[in-house]
Amino acid sequence: MDSSQPTRFPVTHKSVSLDIKVIVTQIGCMGTILHARKEESVSTEPTFSVSVIFGKRDEPWLLACGRQLIEHISCSGSSRPLVLSLGLKDHSPETLKEIIVAVIENCLW
Amino acid sequence: MTSKELDTRFSELLLTEGSDSVGKTNKLEGQGSNDDVQITCFTEDLHDVTFHFQIIKLTKQIYVWIGCNTAKFGHLYAAAITRPNKTVAVTPVLGGTSDNTGSGIARRLVLKTGLNIIVACNIPKDSPTLEVTAERKLFEKLKSLGYIKPRPEGLPVSSAHN
């Protein structure tokens, strides 16, 4: 974790399922919930769709975070959809990059 | 579902197949804050169906996942108390628009706990007995964990049970 980060994440949590669920929280609740999935066809590269299904819809960095993670999941060979909940005090790119690194370190796929 | 052992920096979760009511609660201390996150996972093996439960208690919210035989995520519902009448509002967040299995569970959880609730549930459609059984097991566990409080003041008695 970046030592200049004023607030630390209490916990990163993961679970085993056919879909992937990741919860990241600093604020005592789940915050914004995103859904990301991969759509594959035979002849073209896979495409990804990320959408906010609950919470803040005007934070583009959250979508970018979801997109990075689903792409990483896809590169690891898994086609599982991702449900990601981010309850964060700040939505800066640095915070989200740290989240991505932490989630990938603890990945289960 | 195969059993797997999970190692993380912050928590350990163990899921086993075919075990009766095996439960484990992990309490994770927040760093630099007074919040803690409690994660409880357990499995209830009934004669023809296996329920898996995962309960995550955050400060202002409880997240519950109920798996019926499989580990699929299922439909996601969010429920909360609304002002000014202090009735409960439930909405499907992911899936579940034509099949509201799980929305009743979410609503009754809000009534019992007074917190915001997120429920993910993959109980098959048109199985009221499964839904009732899962709900009963879940509520027993929540009572034993102390998350269910006596009915908060102000909630109308008539909306207690649906």
Side-chain angles (χ1 to χ4, degrees):
Chain A
M1 288 279 188
D2 184 1
S3 58
S4 64
Q5 186 77 8
T7 51
R8 294 178 64 90
F9 302 117
V11 61
T12 303
H13 164 80
K14 58 184 177 179
S15 63
V16 174
S17 79
L18 293 178
D19 306 351
I20 297 172
K21 168 93 183 180
V22 176
I23 301 178
V24 182
T25 180
Q26 281 178 312
I27 56 175
C29 61
M30 284 173 61
T32 301
I33 304 178
L34 298 97
H35 181 58
R37 60 180 185 281
K38 173 179 154 181
E39 282 140 20
E40 264 184 303
S41 65
V42 177
S43 55
T44 59
E45 293 290 313
T47 54
F48 303 101
S49 104
V50 186
S51 56
V52 175
I53 54 176
F54 192 80
K56 285 178 179 277
R57 291 169 201 273
D58 56 357
E59 292 280 352
W61 289 108
L62 300 181
L63 290 167
C65 179
R67 172 60 196 259
Q68 286 267 26
L69 285 173
I70 189 71
E71 209 164 332
H72 187 268
I73 292 168
S74 167
C75 291
S76 310
S78 171
S79 299
R80 297 178 186 173
L82 168 73
V83 176
L84 169 67
S85 81
L86 298 168
L88 304 173
K89 288 180 184 162
D90 82 284
H91 296 122
S92 66
E94 293 73 32
T95 310
L96 289 162
K97 279 180 194 162
E98 289 188 15
I99 292 172
I100 292 169
V101 167
V103 170
I104 290 174
E105 275 179 21
N106 288 290
C107 77
L108 270 184
W109 51 85
Chain B
M1 204 167 72
T2 59
S3 58
K4 291 185 182 182
E5 189 159 284
L6 309 175
D7 284 323
T8 72
R9 274 192 295 178
F10 303 101
S11 69
E12 283 187 14
L13 295 172
L14 191 68
L15 281 175
T16 57
E17 185 178 6
S19 54
D20 300 343
S21 303
V22 172
K24 194 169 173 184
T25 300
N26 289 316
K27 190 170 178 184
L28 303 164
E29 295 293 333
Q31 299 197 25
S33 73
N34 292 326
D35 301 323
D36 33 339
V37 177
Q38 293 178 331
I39 304 174
T40 305
C41 299
F42 65 103
T43 298
E44 289 282 345
D45 220 2
L46 305 174
H47 47 269
D48 56 350
V49 73
T50 304
F51 286 117
H52 305 284
F53 296 88
Q54 183 179 56
I55 303 167
I56 300 178
K57 180 170 187 305
L58 306 167
T59 318
K60 309 177 206 169
Q61 207 168 43
I62 295 180
Y63 160 80
V64 176
W65 171 70
I66 304 171
C68 178
N69 291 327
T70 72
K72 280 189 182 168
F73 191 61
H75 300 310
L76 189 64
Y77 295 89
I81 294 181
T82 54
R83 299 189 185 102
N85 297 331
K86 296 191 179 161
T87 49
V88 178
V90 186
T91 182
V93 173
L94 197 58
T97 40
S98 61
D99 153 24
N100 55 8
T101 311
S103 64
I105 298 177
R107 147 185 282 276
R108 284 182 284 278
L109 269 172
V110 173
L111 288 167
K112 296 264 183 176
T113 61
L115 298 171
N116 296 340
I117 296 292
I118 307 271
V119 171
C121 154
N122 72 351
I123 295 173
K125 197 176 170 175
D126 297 329
S127 313
T129 45
L130 286 180
E131 198 179 342
V132 162
T133 311
E135 189 176 331
R136 195 178 63 237
K137 296 288 177 193
L138 174 67
F139 278 47
E140 279 167 13
K141 189 67 175 182
L142 291 174
K143 273 186 198 147
S144 73
L145 291 167
Y147 300 161
I148 291 185
K149 300 175 230 182
R151 190 186 307 125
E153 281 178 62
L155 275 181
V157 174
S158 58
S159 66
H161 295 288
N162 224 354

